[in-house]
């Protein structure tokens, strides 16, 4: 079998149904679908076991260890395909997505590849919220990414042989229940680039998906927590563990805290309102890197 599509899910039965429906509409079949239920309590099992896609073998597995990386790794264990395609349970695929995966496998010969992610909404988004905030793209041309860039984990295809070479996803990274953590896919791809002779991860713009923007992502506090979580995850994923003593890291934390106090108070008041018409735009666009650095320093201090 060439392709196994893996969906990891945790208590999102209604969203999962949208993803499954989009697979049902694909122009190409003949793949294996694996749904890894990450300890859900919302009747996800019944949904999957009663779902039918013509010419597709659907397999359901229950993973008791809560965490996206645990679920991803369970998919690796159960998959029979030469290539493993990961999509999020809240993604909708265009009808030619599977066909595009097969085309890329034949044409690029890449061991890891992916494509852009565009947002879709069910609830009304606020006026300040820009589509760019939930768009992940490297442009409109197919390219091999630089060694510092990686494809998005919710639209990612990996050759099965890669796991034998570098191991599984890091279970200390990635979402764990409601705990906001990221970068398990970043860590995996960077390990692949550093531990193998391959220097290329392929990006194909026609391999796109639509990703649901949950209402909590419209809240400023969620975005602040998310940026800090990405900073913490980046520290662990990229192994930037400098040999600094606790006192120096603590001083850096104090300095970064003072910067954030300025940005949230004086900086936001004096912001360029032409560029940042809403307070939220200023925090997300201007303060984001400082929040990520703050999260990075917290992880470094706690290490």
């Amino acid at each position: 079998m060439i392709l196994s599509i893996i969906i990891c899910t945790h208590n999102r039965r209604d969203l999962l149904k949208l993803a499954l429906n989009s697979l049902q509409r694909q122009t190409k079949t003949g793949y294996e679908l694996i749904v890894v239920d990450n300890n859900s309590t919302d009747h996800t099992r019944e949904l999957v076991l009663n779902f039918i896609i013509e010419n597709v073998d659907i397999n359901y597995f229950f993973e008791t260890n809560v965490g996206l990386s645990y679920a991803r790794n369970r998919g690796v264990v159960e998959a029979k395909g030469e290539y493993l395609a990961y999509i999020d349970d809240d993604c909708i695929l265009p009808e030619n997505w599977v066909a595009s995966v097969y085309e890329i496998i034949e044409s690029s010969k890449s061991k890891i590849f992916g494509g852009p992610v565009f947002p879709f909404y069910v609830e009304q988004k606020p006026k300040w919220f820009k589509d760019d905030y939930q768009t992940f793209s490297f442009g409109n041309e197919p390219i091999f990414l630089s060694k510092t860039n990686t494809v998005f984990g919710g639209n990612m295809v990996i050759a099965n042989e890669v796991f034998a070479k570098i191991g599984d996803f890091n279970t200390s990274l990635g979402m764990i229940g409601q705990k906001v953590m990221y970068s398990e896919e970043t860590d995996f791809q960077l390990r692949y680039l550093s531990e193998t002779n391959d220097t290329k991860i392929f990006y194909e713009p026609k391999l796109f998906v639509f990703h649901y923007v949950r209402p909590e992502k419209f809240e400023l506090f969620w975005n602040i927590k998310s940026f800090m979580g990405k900073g913490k995850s980046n520290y662990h994923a990229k192994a930037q563990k400098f040999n600094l003593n606790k006192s120096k890291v603590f001083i850096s934390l104090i300095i970064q805290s003072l910067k954030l106090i300025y940005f949230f108070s004086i900086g936001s008041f004096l912001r360029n309102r032409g560029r940042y018409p809403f307070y939220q735009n200023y925090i997300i666009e201007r303060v984001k890197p400082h929040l990520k650095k703050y999260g990075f320093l917290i992880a470094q201090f706690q290490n």
Side-chain angles (χ1 to χ4, degrees):
M1 178 173 291
I2 295 177
L3 182 63
S4 297
I5 297 177
I6 302 171
I7 304 178
C8 304
T9 188
H10 175 69
N11 282 335
R12 299 208 288 194
R13 180 184 187 276
D14 292 339
L15 291 174
L16 174 62
K17 188 175 182 179
L18 295 178
L20 294 176
N21 285 339
S22 70
L23 281 168
Q24 206 171 37
R25 295 190 293 268
Q26 293 297 302
T27 57
K28 186 174 181 63
T29 57
Y31 57 88
E32 169 192 41
L33 174 61
I34 293 175
V35 178
V36 181
D37 182 349
N38 196 201
N39 213 22
S40 297
T41 57
D42 64 348
H43 304 293
T44 291
R45 181 178 184 274
E46 288 79 0
L47 168 67
V48 177
L49 294 181
N50 289 302
F51 208 86
I52 298 173
I53 302 177
E54 188 175 352
N55 296 323
V56 172
D57 185 16
I58 302 177
N59 297 294
Y60 168 90
F61 299 98
F62 191 82
E63 174 56 52
T64 56
N65 292 308
V66 177
L68 179 55
S69 289
Y70 283 111
R72 288 193 188 279
N73 291 338
R74 179 65 181 275
V76 176
V77 171
E78 305 295 348
K80 302 180 182 70
E82 296 175 31
Y83 283 82
L84 280 56
Y86 285 95
I87 61 170
D88 282 355
D89 60 356
D90 54 356
C91 281
I92 293 178
L93 312 181
E95 63 182 15
N96 63 342
W97 189 87
V98 172
S100 295
V101 170
Y102 276 95
E103 289 176 11
I104 298 167
I105 289 173
E106 289 298 319
S107 62
S108 76
K109 306 300 181 182
S110 295
K111 302 302 181 185
I112 300 179
F113 61 88
V117 176
F118 302 114
F120 81 90
Y121 310 92
V122 175
E123 296 78 11
Q124 180 71 34
K125 68 175 181 176
K127 291 182 179 180
W128 62 266
F129 194 91
K130 300 179 181 179
D131 289 345
D132 287 347
Y133 295 161
Q134 290 294 312
T135 297
F136 304 90
S137 171
F138 290 106
N140 298 321
E141 298 294 329
I143 57 171
F144 286 101
L145 300 178
S146 69
K147 293 198 74 170
T148 58
N149 289 324
T150 57
V151 293
F152 178 67
N155 185 20
M156 171 178 67
V157 183
I158 304 171
N160 206 333
E161 66 187 74
V162 171
F163 295 94
K165 291 180 179 179
I166 69 167
D168 295 335
F169 291 97
N170 185 342
T171 54
S172 67
L173 298 172
M175 295 293 290
I176 302 174
Q178 299 303 312
K179 183 180 179 182
V180 180
M181 288 289 285
Y182 303 96
S183 299
E184 81 288 345
E185 77 275 33
T186 302
D187 168 75
F188 184 89
Q189 293 174 67
L190 292 177
R191 278 194 286 124
Y192 171 71
L193 292 174
S194 66
E195 297 178 22
T196 68
N197 293 325
D198 196 344
T199 58
K200 296 177 179 179
I201 291 175
F202 188 64
Y203 166 83
E204 172 54 71
K206 70 180 181 182
L207 190 71
F208 63 90
V209 301
F210 298 102
H211 192 241
Y212 172 56
V213 181
R214 303 189 306 276
E216 59 263 34
K217 294 186 178 183
F218 300 147
E219 300 171 4
L220 185 59
F221 178 73
W222 185 95
N223 284 276
I224 292 171
K225 185 170 66 171
S226 174
F227 298 149
M228 291 176 59
K230 287 177 181 176
K232 292 177 182 178
S233 300
N234 285 342
Y235 172 75
H236 296 290
K238 297 182 179 180
Q240 296 174 336
K241 301 177 182 179
F242 306 109
N243 294 319
L244 296 177
N245 60 46
K246 291 286 186 179
S247 60
K248 289 184 178 180
V249 177
F250 181 72
I251 291 171
S252 297
L253 265 174
I254 294 299
I255 293 173
Q256 194 65 18
S257 297
L258 293 174
K259 287 182 180 179
L260 289 175
I261 290 172
Y262 168 81
F263 284 126
F264 277 95
S265 56
I266 299 173
S268 61
F269 179 75
L270 298 177
R271 73 183 187 277
N272 181 335
R273 282 169 168 76
R275 184 174 182 180
Y276 310 112
F278 296 94
Y279 173 76
Q280 294 93 331
N281 300 135
Y282 177 77
I283 299 301
I284 290 176
E285 297 173 33
R286 178 70 178 87
V287 188
K288 174 182 177 179
H290 298 277
L291 288 164
K292 290 175 70 174
K293 183 176 180 180
Y294 186 68
F296 184 97
L297 289 169
I298 289 176
Q300 189 176 29
F301 183 74
Q302 293 174 337
N303 184 56

